[in-house]
Amino acid sequence: MKKVFTRPKTLKDVAYHYCPGCTHGIAHRLIAEVIDELGIQNTTIGMTSVGCSVFTMEYFDMDMVQASHGRAPAVATGIKRVLPDRIIFTYQGDGDLAAIGTGEFVHAAARGENITVIFINNAVYGMTGGQMAPTTLMGQVTKTTPFGRSKEVNGFPVKVCEMLTPLEGAAYLARVSVHSPKSIIQAKKVIKKSFEVQMEGLGFSLVEVLSTCPTNWGLSPLESVKWLEDNMIPYYPLGEFKKPGVLA
Amino acid sequence: MARVTFQEERCKGCQLCLPVCPKNIISMTAQINSMGYHPAGVKEQDKCTGCALCALVCPDMVIEVEREERSV
Ligand SMILES: Cc1ncc(C[n+]2csc(CCOP(=O)(O)OP(=O)(O)O)c2C)c(N)n1
Ligand code: SF4
Ligand code: SF4
Ligand code: SF4
Ligand SMILES: [Mg+2]
């Protein structure tokens, strides 16, 4: 019999430290499958960020750099400019990218840096215990919004893809999800495209991945994928927001 | 012919694989692994079509799927 599903070779054969049902694990696997399919394991360098995915370098079997909180796109910029033949991606949570790292990802996009950003939006600061993130939904209860996020006190959730769309340097922007088989298949296609955009030298690419945090949402893993579908997708619509003309 | 294999020691008992199986053959087993979780498993292996939907949604890559190659 032929193996139709097995672990990608770009991932080491070790267990993740993530909580049960946390979809960070699916996002890792999709990136590794894309790297395998493109045959770029030896030429790719990943930037891990600060958040639950801080130990990502323990899982990917390739060169990785651990950037300070929010700074991964700046580190990626430096490495890509020195080693332009390498494929450079960052892996960042919403606390990392959309709060402390706002300056870095926005300006990397504005400059049109030829890097790929994988942005994991789980609507919360996972690692530190479930505080509000810039992406926390209106009304969502977190450790720091015990009565739900309110516009008077907390302002509005940040839509990262939509926000970057007007920037000329941003070549490819898309939002995907990993809550169902269908969305996972689509997410992989989009992640692959974002790497291909970089390999073609077309400029900055960012894929926002809607992801679950069962532990800090206070839901079971199955309730979490449902909550994502019912609450996150209506506010954060899936799709490609911008793509280079040659891909159209 | 298809075969689905669960690496029980890696399963965190999240149950995400249960509802996606079109044959409804995945359930949580009674055993307890060294992490303290009841791992998922299949009872009626012969009903498995090798569609791999269970493996697709498993965050922890517990599941491996094999399928007979179709001779065209
Ligand atoms: C400079 C600095 N400020 C604050 C922190 C504390 N801190 C660690 S992780 C984190 C947020 C993580 O949230 P996110 O990026 O959404 O990742 P997740 O865990 O949800 O995947 C914060 C604020 C830190 N490590 N360094
Ligand atoms: S705290 Fe949330 S994001 Fe972090 S590993 Fe657990 S479920 Fe995943
Ligand atoms: S491969 Fe398909 S049929 Fe077989 S157990 Fe998994 S989901 Fe069910
Ligand atoms: S999805 Fe994976 S980790 Fe979760 S119960 Fe099924 S086999 Fe176990
Ligand atoms: Mg987060």
Side-chain angles (χ1 to χ4, degrees):
Chain A
M1 282 199 286
K2 185 173 171 269
K3 280 189 183 159
V4 290
F5 196 101
T6 190
R7 163 185 287 275
K9 77 174 176 26
T10 294
L11 284 183
K12 295 178 198 164
D13 189 12
V14 293
Y16 293 138
H17 71 284
Y18 299 116
C19 306
C22 172
T23 52
H24 263 303
I26 298 178
H28 285 16
R29 192 191 77 223
L30 296 182
I31 295 168
E33 287 175 354
V34 164
I35 290 172
D36 280 4
E37 285 174 20
L38 295 171
I40 54 172
Q41 185 181 3
N42 294 329
T43 48
T44 301
I45 307 174
M47 313 292 121
T48 98
S49 61
V50 175
C52 282
S53 57
V54 68
F55 296 127
T56 308
M57 69 289 222
E58 306 288 339
Y59 307 136
F60 283 87
D61 192 6
M62 55 186 220
D63 289 334
M64 304 282 293
V65 178
Q66 213 279 296
S68 326
H69 209 10
R71 311 309 184 229
V75 178
T77 296
I79 296 178
K80 184 71 181 185
R81 287 185 178 205
V82 174
L83 301 170
D85 58 329
R86 303 303 166 91
I87 314 305
I88 309 293
F89 78 92
T90 73
Y91 187 99
Q92 304 174 257
D94 43 0
D96 185 272
L97 179 136
I100 195 169
T102 310
E104 280 72 19
F105 86 88
V106 172
H107 283 287
R111 294 191 305 269
E113 297 295 341
N114 194 30
I115 60 171
T116 300
V117 171
I118 307 296
F119 164 46
I120 308 297
N121 179 357
N122 59 10
V124 81
Y125 283 20
M127 186 195 211
T128 45
Q131 296 82 3
M132 188 192 91
T135 45
T136 293
L137 294 176
M138 210 51 95
Q140 188 181 334
V141 172
T142 68
K143 285 273 157 61
T144 46
T145 55
F147 306 108
R149 182 180 188 151
S150 82
K151 67 174 193 294
E152 290 78 15
V153 181
N154 313 108
F156 297 90
V158 175
K159 295 182 175 181
V160 165
C161 288
E162 289 85 338
M163 166 186 165
L164 292 182
T165 304
L167 296 179
E168 281 172 60
Y172 185 66
L173 301 169
R175 187 182 289 121
V176 297
S177 178
V178 288
H179 70 285
S180 66
K182 193 174 162 213
S183 69
I184 292 168
I185 291 166
Q186 177 63 14
K188 181 172 166 186
K189 283 187 194 149
V190 165
I191 291 171
K192 191 168 188 179
K193 226 188 255 187
S194 72
F195 275 76
E196 285 167 344
V197 165
Q198 181 182 162
M199 290 164 82
E200 297 288 323
L202 298 173
F204 183 88
S205 53
L206 179 143
V207 179
E208 176 172 345
V209 182
L210 303 183
S211 189
T212 65
C213 178
T215 299
N216 289 301
W217 292 358
L219 300 173
S220 74
L222 281 171
E223 287 166 345
S224 296
V225 290
K226 178 90 172 68
W227 190 88
L228 187 162
E229 184 175 17
D230 293 347
N231 296 280
M232 289 183 79
I233 295 178
Y235 190 82
Y236 296 118
L238 307 184
E240 293 180 310
F241 292 85
K242 201 170 174 184
K243 51 184 176 178
V246 288
L247 279 186
Chain B
M1 255 287 274
R3 183 164 54 222
V4 59
T5 320
F6 289 72
Q7 207 181 334
E8 283 105 0
E9 275 302 311
R10 289 275 171 88
C11 176
K12 295 176 183 165
C14 75
Q15 308 192 4
L16 289 179
C17 55
L18 266 56
V20 300
C21 175
K23 296 291 171 186
N24 211 3
I25 54 175
I26 309 175
S27 58
M28 307 316 286
T29 59
Q31 69 191 91
I32 298 177
N33 67 18
S34 58
M35 291 188 286
Y37 299 115
H38 290 293
V42 290
K43 283 214 184 74
E44 298 157 286
Q45 183 71 247
D46 51 310
K47 286 193 185 161
C48 173
T49 62
C51 70
L53 291 180
C54 51
L56 198 63
V57 302
C58 175
D60 289 280
M61 286 168 290
V62 170
I63 308 169
E64 205 169 68
V65 186
E66 296 163 285
R67 198 165 51 207
E68 205 75 71
E69 267 178 290
R70 242 167 282 187
S71 43
V72 191

